[in-house]
């Protein structure tokens, strides 16, 4: 099965083979030194030079999002959320769960945030902005400079879920004055699922220490900061995924570094979009992350196309949920896929659309 999904992505062969080589006990200086080396490189990729400011968690992305709200916010805060899809909405749910006051800018699936959307929230006492910078449900990419400028104008913290955008789009924490970035293993890093990483500005670290202790014993970031000085975590980490990370960082450096890696992803996205339009497929016009492309089908059941691709051609793409389930599917450009793979996928997409369309006309289920 060839994976064109946003995560877990199609892994690279050498990374898959990591677990066959075995690994050392993790409470050793050797493991800690490897972790420090890996995290320093990831921090460099994130554009964060603050020492010991990147921690890693044995958790999914939602676990990291939950932990960030728990550790970084308090009842005196007032949050603003860019709520433009299911993943942006998750921040709303987490803030509500933790009893943090918030308001949201609610956007339709094909809308991006604009200065006009932000204007009513100027000088209203908001302390933190939360955004899923690439709304993974649709692939739309928000304007990080616009959001950063708004936060600076209003003296707000900026918290970014970059889980599906990292290593696919340009990103720099210090350039855009981002205070917390959440990423996960199974997307742009091309690793197994199960590990998330959170990177912090100095002022967010200070805020965490000034807050009262979080509700969670397991996700108490103060313990993680203390342990990360020696490359460790308070509890058992995702050991095997850290070894995978070491290999992927080697592959990225071998390809020419972060910027060259992003160009590879961007070129695949550009190629797929151009060829899709040539073939008569409909691609949304909003600004898009290089991570994925949504394909909109007006008169064909997109869910049936996804099913046929998987069952008949052994090609896996992401369906959409909710109101978009029958109208749209998503194709990932991250992971171990090539231009030749994209050509094959496009051929099979067109064949699947024709077959589903014919079945619909004939009333076949």
């Amino acid at each position: 099965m060839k994976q064109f999904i946003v995560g877990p992505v199609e892994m690279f062969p050498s990374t898959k083979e990591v677990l066959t080589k075995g690994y050392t006990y993790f409470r050793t200086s050797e493991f800690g030194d490897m972790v420090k080396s890996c995290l320093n490189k990831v921090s460099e990729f994130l554009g964060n030079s603050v020492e010991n400011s990147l921690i890693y968690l044995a958790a999914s992305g939602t676990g990291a999002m939950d932990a960030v709200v728990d550790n970084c916010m308090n009842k005196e805060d007032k949050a603003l959320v860019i709520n433009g899809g299911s993943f942006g909405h998750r921040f709303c749910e987490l803030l509500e769960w933790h009893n943090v006051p918030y308001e949201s800018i609610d956007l339709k699936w094909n809308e991006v945030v604009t200065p006009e959307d932000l204007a009513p929230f100027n000088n209203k006492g908001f302390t933190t902005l939360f955004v899923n910078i690439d709304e993974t449900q649709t692939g739309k990419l928000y304007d990080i400079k616009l959001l950063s400028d708004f936060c600076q104008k209003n003296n707000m913290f900026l918290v970014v879920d970059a889980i599906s955008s990292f290593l696919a789009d340009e990103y720099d924490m210090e350039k855009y004055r981002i205070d917390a970035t959440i990423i996960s293993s199974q997307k742009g890093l091309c690793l197994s699922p199960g590990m998330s990483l959170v990177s912090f500005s100095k002022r967010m670290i200070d805020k965490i220490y000034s807050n009262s202790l979080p509700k969670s014993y397991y996700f108490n970031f103060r313990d993680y900061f203390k342990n990360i000085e020696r490359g460790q975590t308070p509890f058992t980490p995702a050991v095997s995924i850290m070894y995978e990370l070491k290999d992927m960082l080697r592959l990225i450096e071998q390809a020419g570094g972060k910027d060259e890696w992003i160009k590879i992803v961007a070129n695949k996205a550009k190629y797929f979009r151009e060829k899709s339009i040539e073939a008569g497929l409909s691609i949304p016009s909003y600004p898009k992350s290089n991570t994925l492309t949504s394909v909109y089908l007006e008169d064909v059941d997109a869910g049936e196309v996804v099913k046929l691709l998987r069952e008949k051609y052994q090609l896996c793409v992401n369906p959409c949920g909710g109101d978009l389930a029958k109208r749209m599917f998503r194709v990932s450009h991250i992971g171990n896929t090539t231009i030749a793979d994209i050509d094959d996928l496009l051929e099979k997409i067109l064949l699947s659309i024709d077959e589903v369309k014919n079945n619909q006309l004939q009333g076949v289920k």
Side-chain angles (χ1 to χ4, degrees):
M1 183 79 70
K2 192 71 175 181
Q3 307 289 344
F4 290 89
I5 57 176
V6 188
V9 302
E10 188 76 26
M11 291 174 66
F12 289 83
S14 62
T15 311
K16 283 184 180 179
E17 293 171 6
V18 163
L19 299 189
T20 66
K21 301 175 182 177
Y23 42 84
T24 187
Y25 174 52
F26 63 91
R27 295 301 191 202
T28 62
S29 59
E30 291 86 356
F31 182 80
D33 289 345
M34 180 193 74
V35 168
K36 292 283 287 181
S37 175
C38 288
L39 296 190
N40 286 341
K41 180 56 67 174
V42 175
S43 291
E44 178 187 320
F45 289 171
L46 285 165
N48 189 357
S49 61
V50 179
E51 190 175 4
N52 297 321
S53 60
L54 178 63
I55 62 173
Y56 68 112
L57 314 170
S60 69
T62 300
M65 293 165 73
D66 187 8
V68 164
V69 173
D70 193 14
N71 282 266
C72 298
M73 303 296 286
N74 58 58
K75 292 179 181 179
E76 285 69 51
D77 278 306
K78 184 180 177 184
L80 181 63
V81 181
I82 308 301
N83 178 21
S86 59
F87 293 93
H89 184 64
R90 194 157 297 171
F91 274 128
C92 297
E93 295 174 324
L94 289 167
L95 289 161
E96 189 167 335
W97 181 269
H98 288 282
N99 297 312
V100 178
Y102 78 94
E103 293 185 35
S104 61
I105 297 175
D106 300 329
L107 305 168
K108 295 178 182 177
W109 72 269
N110 56 353
E111 294 177 334
V112 293
V113 67
T114 66
E116 292 72 28
D117 294 318
L118 294 169
F121 300 95
N122 277 312
N123 303 313
K124 295 294 175 64
F126 290 95
T127 62
T128 309
L129 175 70
F130 288 85
V131 63
N132 170 233
I133 199 65
D134 163 27
E135 180 43 72
T136 318
Q137 185 185 18
T138 57
K140 62 184 175 182
L141 185 69
Y142 297 118
D143 185 341
I144 187 63
K145 184 178 186 305
L146 172 67
L147 299 176
S148 173
D149 290 346
F150 171 78
C151 288
Q152 291 303 303
K153 180 179 178 180
N154 288 276
N155 192 29
M156 296 168 64
F157 289 92
L158 177 55
V159 176
V160 178
D161 166 1
I163 290 171
S164 63
S165 180
F166 180 57
L167 291 179
D169 304 306
E170 187 264 339
Y171 193 86
D172 191 311
M173 287 184 66
E174 291 176 358
K175 177 180 178 180
Y176 295 110
R177 295 161 293 190
I178 297 164
D179 294 291
T181 298
I182 304 163
I183 58 177
S184 285
S185 54
Q186 77 276 17
K187 290 187 166 59
L189 283 168
C190 307
L191 313 175
S192 300
M195 183 172 76
S196 292
L197 304 95
V198 191
S199 182
F200 304 92
S201 67
K202 176 62 168 60
R203 71 170 191 153
M204 182 60 90
I205 294 173
D206 291 341
K207 185 175 191 295
I208 290 167
Y209 277 103
S210 69
N211 282 345
S212 58
L213 287 172
K215 295 177 184 176
S216 174
Y217 173 82
Y218 185 80
F219 289 125
N220 179 358
F221 284 172
R222 299 182 199 188
D223 282 348
Y224 283 83
F225 288 134
K226 181 173 64 177
N227 279 272
I228 208 63
E229 292 179 6
R230 55 194 181 91
Q232 294 289 344
T233 53
F235 313 103
T236 304
V239 177
S240 58
I241 303 176
M242 186 55 68
Y243 281 92
E244 292 177 0
L245 176 61
K246 179 183 177 183
D247 184 71
M248 271 306 306
L249 293 174
R250 177 187 65 83
L251 292 179
I252 293 169
E253 288 299 295
Q254 202 172 71
K258 179 194 74 170
D259 292 341
E260 289 302 315
W261 191 264
I262 291 173
K263 284 181 186 177
I264 292 170
V265 178
N267 286 337
K268 288 193 289 183
K270 182 174 183 288
Y271 183 83
F272 177 83
R273 290 163 187 169
E274 289 176 348
K275 292 297 181 181
S276 295
I277 292 169
E278 287 177 14
L281 297 175
S282 178
I283 305 297
S285 61
Y286 48 69
K288 290 175 281 292
S289 167
N290 293 319
T291 300
L292 68 94
T293 302
S294 293
V295 177
Y296 189 85
L297 302 178
E298 190 65 50
D299 55 357
V300 182
D301 189 325
E304 290 299 316
V305 173
V306 171
K307 181 180 178 183
L308 191 60
L309 283 168
R310 185 177 63 250
E311 294 180 353
K312 186 172 183 177
Y313 298 112
Q314 300 296 293
L315 296 169
C316 193
V317 299
N318 280 107
C320 288
D323 296 338
L324 295 172
K326 292 188 175 183
R327 295 278 69 86
M328 202 159 73
F329 63 86
R330 298 166 291 159
V331 175
S332 167
H333 311 301
I334 51 180
N336 183 26
T337 57
T338 64
I339 296 299
D341 292 328
I342 294 172
D343 285 336
D344 181 56
L345 174 66
L346 277 167
E347 177 189 351
K348 301 307 191 303
I349 286 174
L350 295 173
L351 289 171
S352 298
I353 289 173
D354 285 342
E355 184 170 339
V356 171
K357 189 180 294 185
N358 289 334
N359 288 342
Q360 288 177 184
L361 290 172
Q362 298 169 20
V364 178
K365 293 186 179 180

